[in-house]
């Protein structure tokens, strides 16, 4: 006899059809998280420590995601993240507090207003299979962005670059490693000697491959893929598609802010050598996605 799916209850509210925003670093998942935080009934968190610790444990040691306890650990981490307490926003990342318009410690939302939950924490993509097991009715929205723009922004982000420091490769780090983009054990020494632009390109390449795999395996009613470029250049149809997919009104105000990363910024931000390396490492994916012309 098949057991009924687990129903998580947070603050007395059943978690149904939670939304997870995923993609490579700097692909725009944070923008969508900001938009959803403005949507009626949504409680969206971004970068809470309870979730980050689990996500990066899985990133270092992917085999953890295949253990019997992985689902429970990730579900419990999200339950803690979604708890609405008098000082709960004090545990959130600054970007999450700012997006929620919180100047103190919170909370940013009233429990009486919540009907759905979501999370847009960085690097959730690598936990997507476990998230689906934890929440079989979940909705995933993944962002795809030009890898050259992604790398350009990663090179300006100390948090991203920190993963490339030798001290981050602990004895718990497993290889092959999807998070770092190292496909084979024998490639590790070559990876260690690569410039950070190349390592960043490997992370993007690995992320879009994983995104493609999700498109092949997840039902259409559970996964929506959006292009960052269309989200910025054609926000109305993109947000309309997102609204229909999530069956809730989504604000597009945040897409017009002055701080929104520009499309094609790599042309002025990437040095020639870095650009050549990125296009060499990620050429196949850049072409497949239409960012590079096929020769």
């Amino acid at each position: 006899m098949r057991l009924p799916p687990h129903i998580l209850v947070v603050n007395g509210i059943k978690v149904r059809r939670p939304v997870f925003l995923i993609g490579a670093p700097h692909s725009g998942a944070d923008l969508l998280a900001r938009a959803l935080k403005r949507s009626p009934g949504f409680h969206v968190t971004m970068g809470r420590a309870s979730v980050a610790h689990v996500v990066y444990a899985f990133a270092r040691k992917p085999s953890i995601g295949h253990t019997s306890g992985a689902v429970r650990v990730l579900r419990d981490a999200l339950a803690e993240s979604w708890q609405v307490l008098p000082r709960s926003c004090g545990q959130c990342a600054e970007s999450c507090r700012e997006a929620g318009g919180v100047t103190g410690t919170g909370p940013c939302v009233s429990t009486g207003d919540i009907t759905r939950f979501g999370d847009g924490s960085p690097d959730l993509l690598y936990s997507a299979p476990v998230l689906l097991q934890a929440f079989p009715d979940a909705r995933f929205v993944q962002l795809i962005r030009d890898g050259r723009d992604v790398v350009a922004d990663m090179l300006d982000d100390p948090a991203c670059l920190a993963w490339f420091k030798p001290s981050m490769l602990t004895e718990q780090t497993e290889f092959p490693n999807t998070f770092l983009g190292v496909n084979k054990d024998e490639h590790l020494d070559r990876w260690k000697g690569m410039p950070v632009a190349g390592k960043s390109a490997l992370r993007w390449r690995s992320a879009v491959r994983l995104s493609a795999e999700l498109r092949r395996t997840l039902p259409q009613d559970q996964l929506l893929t959006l292009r960052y470029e269309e989200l910025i250049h054609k926000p109305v149809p993109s947000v309309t598609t997102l609204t229909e997919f999530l069956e809730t009104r989504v604000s597009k105000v945040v897409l017009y802010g002055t701080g929104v990363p520009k499309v094609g910024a790599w042309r002025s931000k990437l040095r020639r050598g870095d650009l050549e390396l990125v296009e060499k490492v990620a050429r196949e994916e850049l072409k497949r996605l239409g960012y590079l012309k096929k020769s």
Side-chain angles (χ1 to χ4, degrees), residues 8-291:
L8 181 67
V9 178
V10 179
N11 284 114
I13 306 161
K14 291 182 178 179
V15 178
R16 298 187 185 278
R17 296 182 300 132
V19 179
F20 299 108
L21 308 168
I22 57 179
H26 293 284
S27 290
D30 60 321
L31 276 180
L32 288 189
R34 288 168 176 264
L36 277 189
K37 283 181 77 72
R38 295 170 179 254
S39 298
F42 260 99
H43 178 35
V44 179
T45 48
M46 305 159 59
R48 286 289 292 272
S50 60
V51 176
H53 289 161
V54 174
V55 168
Y56 291 125
F58 289 0
R60 286 182 187 277
K61 196 171 183 179
S63 63
I64 296 177
H66 301 291
T67 62
S68 59
V71 169
R72 178 181 55 80
V73 169
L74 188 53
R75 189 190 288 133
D76 289 349
L78 283 160
E80 180 181 340
S81 177
W82 288 329
Q83 280 284 339
V84 179
L85 301 170
R87 300 182 64 83
S88 55
C89 284
Q91 302 174 38
C92 290
E94 178 59 33
S95 59
C96 189
R97 291 196 297 271
E98 189 272 329
V102 176
T103 55
T105 56
C108 63
V109 65
S110 170
T111 56
D113 297 331
I114 300 173
T115 58
R116 289 179 75 180
F117 296 85
D119 194 90
S121 295
D123 300 314
L124 271 185
L125 172 66
Y126 306 95
S127 299
V130 185
L131 285 169
L132 184 61
Q133 293 179 62
F135 305 97
D137 63 344
R139 300 296 185 265
F140 295 86
V141 181
Q142 63 181 12
L143 271 293
I144 301 296
R145 187 185 182 198
D146 188 332
R148 296 166 295 185
D149 274 333
V150 166
V151 171
D153 283 350
M154 287 181 70
L155 294 178
D156 286 336
D157 184 352
C160 283
L161 298 183
W163 283 100
F164 304 141
K165 295 180 179 179
S167 59
M168 297 298 284
L169 296 181
T170 67
E171 53 186 39
Q172 283 78 38
T173 306
E174 290 179 345
F175 293 93
N177 190 289
T178 304
F179 177 77
L180 295 175
V182 182
N183 296 328
K184 299 179 181 179
D185 290 345
E186 58 263 32
H187 293 169
L188 180 56
D189 287 338
R190 189 189 310 170
W191 178 88
K192 289 179 178 179
M194 288 186 78
V196 290
K199 293 177 180 178
S200 299
L202 282 173
R203 279 203 64 189
W204 178 80
R205 185 180 76 176
S206 181
V208 297
R209 287 178 177 177
L210 182 54
S211 295
E213 180 63 23
L214 289 176
R215 290 192 68 179
R216 286 191 291 268
T217 57
L218 281 178
Q220 288 187 351
D221 63 347
Q222 287 191 262
L223 175 68
L224 175 66
T225 301
L226 295 175
R227 290 288 188 115
Y228 179 85
E229 293 77 17
E230 293 180 359
L231 188 66
I232 300 305
H233 286 157
K234 300 177 181 178
V236 174
S238 295
V239 172
T240 298
T241 299
L242 181 61
T243 294
E244 293 173 351
F245 176 70
L246 297 180
E247 298 177 315
T248 188
R249 180 177 61 81
V250 180
S251 172
K252 57 181 177 292
V253 173
V254 298
L255 303 177
Y256 297 105
T258 56
V260 175
K262 297 184 182 302
V263 173
W266 60 267
R267 291 183 174 84
S268 59
K269 295 177 68 173
L270 282 182
R271 295 178 300 180
R272 183 184 181 90
D274 287 342
L275 174 60
E276 291 176 351
L277 180 57
V278 171
E279 292 185 343
K280 177 181 179 181
V281 169
R283 182 173 301 277
E284 180 181 337
E285 285 69 26
L286 287 168
K287 285 184 176 181
R288 177 172 60 83
L289 293 168
Y291 294 119

